[in-house]
Amino acid sequence: MMLIIDNFLPNSYFRELRDTMFSTNFPWNYNAATTPGVDNDVYFTHMGFKRDLENKTSPFNSPFYFDAKAVLYFIEEKAKFDIEVLYRINCTMVLSKPQLFPAYEVSAFHVDYQIPHYTGILYMNDCNGPTVLDGSRTIEFRENRFAIFDGSIPHAASIQSDSTRRVNVVFNFSGSFKTP
């Protein structure tokens, strides 16, 4: 199942998250590849939260975790999803390649974890670089859009050409959709 919800967060909360991530003080980390050994698609990340799968009682979290934590409550309420275990909150930023305009370039396909999980993506700005699932379906990159899908589906980011950067927050978790 895949679910897409537009206008996911209240505007004031969304703007606060976006302004934090787009500020010059937000600590981005350089990554030389989306999938090491497979591609060389440069991007930047900020790990807001990461649970060691071997030691589930000692997660790592940055101060951004406390900014983004409320998104989990909106996942429960708006997506009607019960989160059992949060594995990761990871911010990603891909810089533009204006020479691609009006098209985009797809990075390597991957899955975030090799265990059963869901992937949720909160899109922080508009751009022409969709998320591509299993090579055929796309999720258009729209500000304040949230998408949730089975994490075993191979997916890929896109390098966009119409915005200076493509920024999102990826949530990985286990759980289930609520039954009506």
Side-chain angles (χ1 to χ4, degrees):
M1 175 177 183
M2 179 170 62
L3 179 65
I4 297 172
I5 303 171
D6 289 329
N7 302 309
F8 186 67
L9 299 176
N11 287 333
S12 58
Y13 177 46
F14 177 79
R15 282 192 309 271
E16 183 179 327
L17 281 179
R18 185 192 57 212
D19 291 350
T20 297
M21 294 174 69
F22 279 55
S23 79
T24 56
N25 297 321
F26 196 72
W28 292 103
N29 298 297
Y30 174 84
N31 287 279
T34 303
T35 307
V38 176
D39 67 27
N40 60 351
D41 298 325
V42 171
Y43 73 109
F44 297 85
T45 64
H46 175 87
M47 190 64 64
F49 176 91
K50 186 170 185 179
R51 183 178 305 279
D52 181 346
L53 297 181
E54 306 302 317
N55 181 6
K56 293 183 177 162
T57 60
S58 300
F60 160 84
N61 59 302
S62 80
F64 182 74
Y65 168 73
F66 300 101
D67 295 328
K69 183 179 178 184
V71 174
L72 302 174
Y73 304 117
F74 286 96
I75 293 170
E76 181 178 322
E77 288 299 312
K78 286 193 143 183
K80 305 292 186 224
F81 192 94
D82 284 322
I83 296 174
E84 292 173 7
V85 178
L86 175 65
Y87 297 114
R88 184 174 75 152
I89 299 174
N90 186 38
C91 307
T92 65
M93 176 175 65
V94 177
L95 301 179
S96 71
K97 285 188 178 178
Q99 68 272 25
L100 297 173
F101 190 78
Y104 59 87
E105 184 178 286
V106 177
S107 67
F109 283 89
H110 64 280
V111 294
D112 297 330
Y113 287 99
Q114 295 298 323
I115 59 172
H117 72 285
Y118 286 87
T119 297
I121 304 174
L122 177 62
Y123 298 94
M124 301 308 294
N125 64 311
D126 290 336
C127 73
N128 69 346
T131 301
V132 182
L133 280 73
D134 61 32
S136 61
R137 296 179 287 172
T138 60
I139 302 169
E140 297 302 317
F141 212 94
R142 296 288 172 250
E143 180 177 279
N144 202 7
R145 171 175 279 177
F146 184 78
I148 184 172
F149 55 90
D150 182 326
S152 68
I153 298 172
H155 55 278
S158 299
I159 301 166
Q160 84 292 348
S161 61
D162 69 338
S163 179
T164 57
R165 53 191 161 172
R166 175 190 191 273
V167 179
N168 63 23
V169 185
V170 178
F171 298 83
N172 299 111
F173 44 81
S174 65
S176 59
F177 284 97
K178 297 177 185 179
T179 54

Coordinates of all heavy atoms in Angstrom, one line a residue, residues 117-176:
H117 N 9.7 -3.1 7.1 CA 9.5 -1.7 7.6 C 8.7 -0.9 6.6 O 8.5 -1.4 5.5 CB 10.9 -1.1 7.9 CG 11.6 -0.7 6.7 ND1 12.3 -1.6 5.9 CD2 11.9 0.5 6.1 CE1 12.9 -1.0 4.9 NE2 12.6 0.3 4.9
Y118 N 8.4 0.3 7.0 CA 7.7 1.3 6.1 C 8.7 2.5 6.0 O 9.5 2.8 6.9 CB 6.4 1.7 6.7 CG 5.3 0.7 6.5 CD1 5.1 -0.3 7.5 CD2 4.5 0.7 5.4 CE1 4.2 -1.3 7.3 CE2 3.5 -0.3 5.3 CZ 3.4 -1.3 6.2 OH 2.4 -2.2 6.1
T119 N 8.5 3.1 4.9 CA 9.3 4.4 4.6 C 8.3 5.5 4.5 O 7.3 5.4 3.7 CB 10.1 4.3 3.4 OG1 11.1 3.3 3.6 CG2 10.8 5.6 3.0
G120 N 8.5 6.6 5.2 CA 7.6 7.8 5.1 C 8.5 8.9 4.7 O 9.7 9.0 5.2
I121 N 8.1 9.7 3.8 CA 8.9 10.9 3.3 C 8.1 12.1 3.4 O 7.0 12.2 2.9 CB 9.4 10.7 1.8 CG1 10.1 9.3 1.7 CG2 10.2 11.9 1.4 CD1 10.5 9.0 0.2
L122 N 8.7 13.1 4.1 CA 8.1 14.5 4.1 C 8.9 15.4 3.2 O 10.1 15.5 3.4 CB 8.1 15.0 5.6 CG 7.6 16.4 5.8 CD1 6.1 16.5 5.4 CD2 7.8 16.8 7.2
Y123 N 8.2 15.9 2.2 CA 8.8 16.8 1.2 C 8.8 18.2 1.7 O 7.8 18.7 2.0 CB 8.1 16.6 -0.1 CG 8.2 15.2 -0.6 CD1 7.2 14.3 -0.4 CD2 9.3 14.8 -1.4 CE1 7.2 13.0 -0.9 CE2 9.4 13.4 -1.8 CZ 8.3 12.6 -1.6 OH 8.4 11.3 -2.0
M124 N 10.0 18.8 1.7 CA 10.2 20.2 2.3 C 10.1 21.3 1.3 O 10.1 22.5 1.7 CB 11.5 20.2 3.0 CG 11.7 19.2 4.1 SD 10.3 19.1 5.3 CE 10.4 20.7 6.1
N125 N 10.2 21.0 0.0 CA 10.1 22.1 -1.0 C 9.5 21.5 -2.3 O 9.4 20.3 -2.5 CB 11.4 22.8 -1.2 CG 12.5 21.9 -1.8 OD1 12.7 20.8 -1.3 ND2 13.2 22.3 -2.8
D126 N 9.2 22.4 -3.3 CA 8.8 21.9 -4.6 C 10.0 21.8 -5.5 O 10.9 22.7 -5.4 CB 7.8 23.0 -5.2 CG 6.5 23.1 -4.6 OD1 6.1 22.1 -3.9 OD2 5.9 24.1 -4.7
C127 N 10.0 20.8 -6.3 CA 11.0 20.7 -7.4 C 10.6 19.6 -8.4 O 9.6 18.9 -8.1 CB 12.4 20.4 -6.8 SG 12.6 18.7 -6.2
N128 N 11.3 19.5 -9.4 CA 11.0 18.5 -10.5 C 11.7 17.2 -10.3 O 11.9 16.4 -11.3 CB 11.2 19.1 -11.9 CG 12.7 19.3 -12.2 OD1 13.5 19.2 -11.4 ND2 13.0 19.5 -13.5
G129 N 12.2 16.9 -9.1 CA 12.9 15.6 -8.9 C 12.0 14.7 -8.0 O 12.2 14.6 -6.8
P130 N 11.2 13.9 -8.7 CA 10.3 13.0 -7.9 C 11.1 11.8 -7.2 O 12.2 11.5 -7.5 CB 9.4 12.4 -9.0 CG 10.2 12.4 -10.2 CD 11.0 13.6 -10.1
T131 N 10.4 11.2 -6.3 CA 10.9 9.9 -5.8 C 10.3 8.8 -6.7 O 9.2 8.9 -7.1 CB 10.3 9.6 -4.3 OG1 10.7 10.7 -3.5 CG2 10.8 8.3 -3.8
V132 N 11.2 7.9 -7.1 CA 10.8 6.9 -8.1 C 10.8 5.6 -7.3 O 11.7 5.2 -6.7 CB 11.7 6.8 -9.3 CG1 11.3 5.8 -10.3 CG2 11.8 8.2 -10.0
L133 N 9.6 4.8 -7.4 CA 9.5 3.5 -6.8 C 9.5 2.4 -7.8 O 8.8 2.6 -8.9 CB 8.1 3.5 -6.0 CG 8.1 4.1 -4.6 CD1 8.1 5.6 -4.8 CD2 6.9 3.7 -3.9
D134 N 10.2 1.4 -7.5 CA 10.4 0.2 -8.3 C 10.5 0.5 -9.8 O 10.1 -0.3 -10.6 CB 9.2 -0.8 -8.0 CG 7.8 -0.3 -8.3 OD1 7.6 0.5 -9.2 OD2 6.9 -0.8 -7.6
G135 N 11.1 1.6 -10.2 CA 11.4 1.9 -11.6 C 10.2 2.4 -12.4 O 10.4 2.7 -13.6
S136 N 9.0 2.4 -11.8 CA 7.8 2.7 -12.6 C 6.9 3.8 -12.0 O 6.4 4.6 -12.7 CB 7.0 1.5 -12.9 OG 6.5 0.9 -11.7
R137 N 6.7 3.8 -10.7 CA 5.8 4.7 -10.1 C 6.6 5.9 -9.6 O 7.7 5.8 -9.1 CB 5.1 4.1 -8.9 CG 4.1 3.0 -9.4 CD 3.4 2.4 -8.2 NE 4.4 1.5 -7.5 CZ 4.1 1.0 -6.3 NH1 2.9 1.1 -5.7 NH2 5.0 0.2 -5.7
T138 N 6.0 7.1 -9.6 CA 6.7 8.3 -9.1 C 5.8 9.0 -8.1 O 4.6 8.9 -8.1 CB 7.1 9.3 -10.2 OG1 5.9 9.7 -10.9 CG2 8.0 8.7 -11.2
I139 N 6.5 9.7 -7.1 CA 5.8 10.5 -6.2 C 6.4 11.9 -6.4 O 7.6 12.2 -6.3 CB 6.1 10.1 -4.7 CG1 5.6 8.7 -4.5 CG2 5.4 11.1 -3.8 CD1 6.1 8.1 -3.2
E140 N 5.5 12.8 -7.0 CA 6.0 14.2 -7.3 C 6.4 14.9 -6.0 O 5.9 14.7 -4.9 CB 4.9 15.0 -7.9 CG 4.5 14.4 -9.3 CD 5.6 14.3 -10.3 OE1 6.4 15.3 -10.4 OE2 5.7 13.3 -11.0
F141 N 7.5 15.6 -6.1 CA 8.1 16.3 -5.0 C 7.4 17.7 -4.8 O 7.5 18.6 -5.5 CB 9.6 16.6 -5.3 CG 10.5 16.6 -4.1 CD1 11.1 15.5 -3.8 CD2 10.7 17.8 -3.4 CE1 12.0 15.5 -2.7 CE2 11.5 17.8 -2.3 CZ 12.2 16.6 -1.9
R142 N 6.5 17.7 -3.8 CA 5.7 18.9 -3.4 C 5.8 19.2 -2.0 O 5.7 18.3 -1.1 CB 4.2 18.6 -3.7 CG 3.9 18.4 -5.2 CD 4.0 19.6 -6.0 NE 3.9 19.4 -7.4 CZ 5.0 19.5 -8.3 NH1 6.1 19.8 -7.8 NH2 4.8 19.2 -9.5
E143 N 6.0 20.5 -1.7 CA 6.1 21.0 -0.4 C 5.0 20.5 0.5 O 3.8 20.6 0.1 CB 6.2 22.5 -0.4 CG 6.3 23.2 0.9 CD 6.4 24.7 0.7 OE1 7.5 25.2 0.4 OE2 5.4 25.4 0.9
N144 N 5.3 20.1 1.7 CA 4.4 19.6 2.7 C 3.6 18.4 2.3 O 2.5 18.2 2.8 CB 3.5 20.8 3.2 CG 2.9 20.5 4.6 OD1 3.3 19.5 5.3 ND2 2.0 21.3 5.0
R145 N 4.1 17.6 1.4 CA 3.5 16.3 1.0 C 4.1 15.2 1.9 O 5.4 15.3 2.1 CB 3.7 16.1 -0.5 CG 3.3 14.7 -0.9 CD 3.4 14.5 -2.4 NE 2.2 15.1 -3.0 CZ 2.0 15.2 -4.3 NH1 2.9 14.8 -5.1 NH2 0.9 15.8 -4.7
F146 N 3.3 14.3 2.3 CA 3.9 13.1 3.0 C 3.5 11.9 2.2 O 2.3 11.7 1.9 CB 3.4 13.1 4.4 CG 3.9 11.9 5.2 CD1 5.2 12.0 5.8 CD2 3.2 10.8 5.4 CE1 5.8 11.0 6.5 CE2 3.8 9.7 6.2 CZ 5.1 9.8 6.7
A147 N 4.4 11.0 2.0 CA 4.2 9.7 1.4 C 4.6 8.6 2.3 O 5.7 8.7 2.9 CB 4.9 9.6 0.0
I148 N 3.9 7.5 2.3 CA 4.3 6.3 3.1 C 4.1 5.1 2.2 O 3.1 5.0 1.5 CB 3.4 6.2 4.4 CG1 3.9 5.1 5.3 CG2 2.0 6.2 4.1 CD1 3.3 5.0 6.6
F149 N 5.1 4.2 2.2 CA 5.0 3.0 1.4 C 5.8 1.9 2.1 O 6.6 2.1 2.9 CB 5.5 3.3 0.0 CG 6.9 3.9 -0.1 CD1 8.0 3.0 -0.2 CD2 7.0 5.2 -0.1 CE1 9.3 3.6 -0.3 CE2 8.3 5.8 -0.2 CZ 9.4 5.0 -0.3
D150 N 5.6 0.7 1.6 CA 6.3 -0.5 2.1 C 7.8 -0.3 1.8 O 8.2 -0.1 0.7 CB 5.8 -1.8 1.4 CG 6.4 -3.0 1.8 OD1 7.6 -3.1 2.2 OD2 5.7 -4.1 1.8
G151 N 8.6 -0.4 2.9 CA 10.0 -0.1 2.7 C 10.8 -1.2 1.9 O 12.0 -1.0 1.6
S152 N 10.2 -2.3 1.6 CA 10.9 -3.3 0.8 C 10.8 -3.0 -0.7 O 11.5 -3.6 -1.5 CB 10.3 -4.7 1.0 OG 8.9 -4.8 0.5
I153 N 10.1 -1.9 -1.1 CA 10.0 -1.5 -2.5 C 11.2 -0.7 -2.8 O 11.5 0.3 -2.2 CB 8.7 -0.6 -2.7 CG1 7.5 -1.4 -2.4 CG2 8.8 -0.1 -4.1 CD1 6.2 -0.6 -2.5
P154 N 12.0 -1.1 -3.8 CA 13.2 -0.3 -4.2 C 12.7 1.1 -4.6 O 11.8 1.2 -5.4 CB 13.8 -1.1 -5.3 CG 13.3 -2.5 -5.1 CD 11.9 -2.4 -4.5
H155 N 13.5 2.1 -4.2 CA 13.1 3.4 -4.5 C 14.4 4.2 -4.8 O 15.5 3.8 -4.4 CB 12.2 4.1 -3.4 CG 12.9 4.0 -2.1 ND1 12.8 2.9 -1.3 CD2 13.5 5.0 -1.4 CE1 13.4 3.2 -0.1 NE2 13.9 4.4 -0.2
A156 N 14.2 5.4 -5.4 CA 15.4 6.2 -5.7 C 15.0 7.7 -5.7 O 13.9 8.0 -5.9 CB 15.9 5.9 -7.2
A157 N 16.0 8.5 -5.3 CA 15.8 9.9 -5.3 C 16.1 10.4 -6.7 O 16.7 9.6 -7.6 CB 16.8 10.6 -4.3
S158 N 15.8 11.6 -7.0 CA 16.1 12.2 -8.3 C 17.0 13.5 -8.1 O 16.8 14.2 -7.1 CB 14.8 12.7 -9.0 OG 14.0 11.5 -9.3
I159 N 17.8 13.7 -9.0 CA 18.6 15.0 -9.0 C 17.8 15.9 -9.9 O 17.6 15.7 -11.0 CB 20.0 14.8 -9.5 CG1 20.7 13.7 -8.6 CG2 20.8 16.1 -9.5 CD1 22.0 13.2 -9.2
Q160 N 17.3 17.0 -9.3 CA 16.4 17.9 -9.9 C 17.2 19.0 -10.7 O 18.3 19.2 -10.4 CB 15.4 18.5 -8.9 CG 15.9 19.7 -8.2 CD 17.0 19.4 -7.2 OE1 17.3 18.3 -6.9 NE2 17.6 20.4 -6.7
S161 N 16.4 19.8 -11.5 CA 17.0 20.9 -12.2 C 16.4 22.2 -12.0 O 16.9 23.2 -12.5 CB 17.0 20.5 -13.7 OG 15.7 20.3 -14.2
D162 N 15.2 22.3 -11.4 CA 14.5 23.5 -11.3 C 14.5 24.2 -10.0 O 13.8 25.2 -9.8 CB 13.1 23.3 -11.8 CG 12.3 22.5 -10.8 OD1 12.8 21.7 -10.0 OD2 11.0 22.6 -10.9
S163 N 15.2 23.7 -9.0 CA 15.3 24.3 -7.7 C 16.7 24.1 -7.2 O 17.4 23.2 -7.6 CB 14.3 23.6 -6.7 OG 14.4 24.1 -5.4
T164 N 17.2 25.0 -6.4 CA 18.6 24.9 -5.9 C 18.9 23.7 -5.2 O 20.0 23.2 -5.2 CB 19.0 26.2 -5.1 OG1 18.1 26.2 -3.9 CG2 19.0 27.4 -5.9
R165 N 17.9 23.1 -4.5 CA 18.1 21.9 -3.7 C 16.7 21.2 -3.6 O 15.7 21.8 -3.6 CB 18.7 22.2 -2.4 CG 18.0 23.2 -1.6 CD 18.8 23.7 -0.4 NE 18.3 24.9 0.1 CZ 18.7 25.5 1.2 NH1 19.6 24.9 2.0 NH2 18.3 26.6 1.6
R166 N 16.9 19.9 -3.3 CA 15.7 19.0 -3.1 C 15.9 18.5 -1.7 O 16.9 17.8 -1.4 CB 15.8 17.8 -4.1 CG 14.8 16.7 -4.0 CD 15.3 15.6 -4.9 NE 14.3 14.6 -5.1 CZ 14.1 13.5 -4.3 NH1 14.9 13.4 -3.2 NH2 13.2 12.6 -4.5
V167 N 15.0 18.8 -0.8 CA 15.1 18.5 0.6 C 13.9 17.7 1.1 O 12.8 18.1 0.9 CB 15.3 19.8 1.5 CG1 15.5 19.5 2.9 CG2 16.5 20.6 1.0
N168 N 14.2 16.6 1.9 CA 13.1 15.9 2.5 C 13.6 15.3 3.8 O 14.7 15.4 4.1 CB 12.6 14.8 1.5 CG 13.6 13.8 1.2 OD1 14.6 13.5 1.8 ND2 13.4 13.1 0.0
V169 N 12.6 14.7 4.5 CA 12.9 14.0 5.8 C 12.3 12.6 5.6 O 11.2 12.5 5.3 CB 12.3 14.7 7.0 CG1 12.7 14.0 8.3 CG2 12.6 16.2 7.1
V170 N 13.2 11.6 5.8 CA 12.8 10.2 5.6 C 12.6 9.6 7.0 O 13.5 9.7 7.8 CB 13.9 9.5 4.8 CG1 13.5 8.0 4.7 CG2 14.1 10.1 3.4
F171 N 11.5 8.9 7.2 CA 11.2 8.2 8.4 C 11.1 6.8 8.1 O 10.4 6.4 7.2 CB 9.8 8.7 9.0 CG 9.8 10.1 9.3 CD1 9.5 11.1 8.4 CD2 10.0 10.6 10.6 CE1 9.5 12.5 8.7 CE2 9.9 11.9 11.0 CZ 9.7 12.9 10.0
N172 N 11.8 5.9 8.8 CA 11.7 4.5 8.7 C 11.2 3.9 10.0 O 11.7 4.2 11.1 CB 13.1 3.9 8.4 CG 13.7 4.4 7.1 OD1 14.6 5.1 7.1 ND2 13.1 4.0 6.0
F173 N 10.2 3.1 9.9 CA 9.6 2.5 11.1 C 8.8 1.2 10.8 O 8.5 0.9 9.6 CB 8.6 3.6 11.7 CG 7.7 4.2 10.7 CD1 6.6 3.6 10.2 CD2 8.0 5.5 10.2 CE1 5.8 4.2 9.2 CE2 7.3 6.1 9.2 CZ 6.1 5.5 8.8
S174 N 8.5 0.5 11.8 CA 7.6 -0.7 11.7 C 6.3 -0.3 12.3 O 6.2 0.6 13.1 CB 8.2 -1.9 12.3 OG 8.3 -1.7 13.7
G175 N 5.3 -1.1 11.9 CA 4.0 -0.8 12.5 C 2.9 -1.3 11.5 O 3.2 -2.1 10.6
S176 N 1.7 -0.7 11.6 CA 0.7 -1.1 10.7 C -0.4 0.0 10.5 O -0.5 0.8 11.4 CB 0.0 -2.4 11.2 OG -0.5 -2.2 12.5

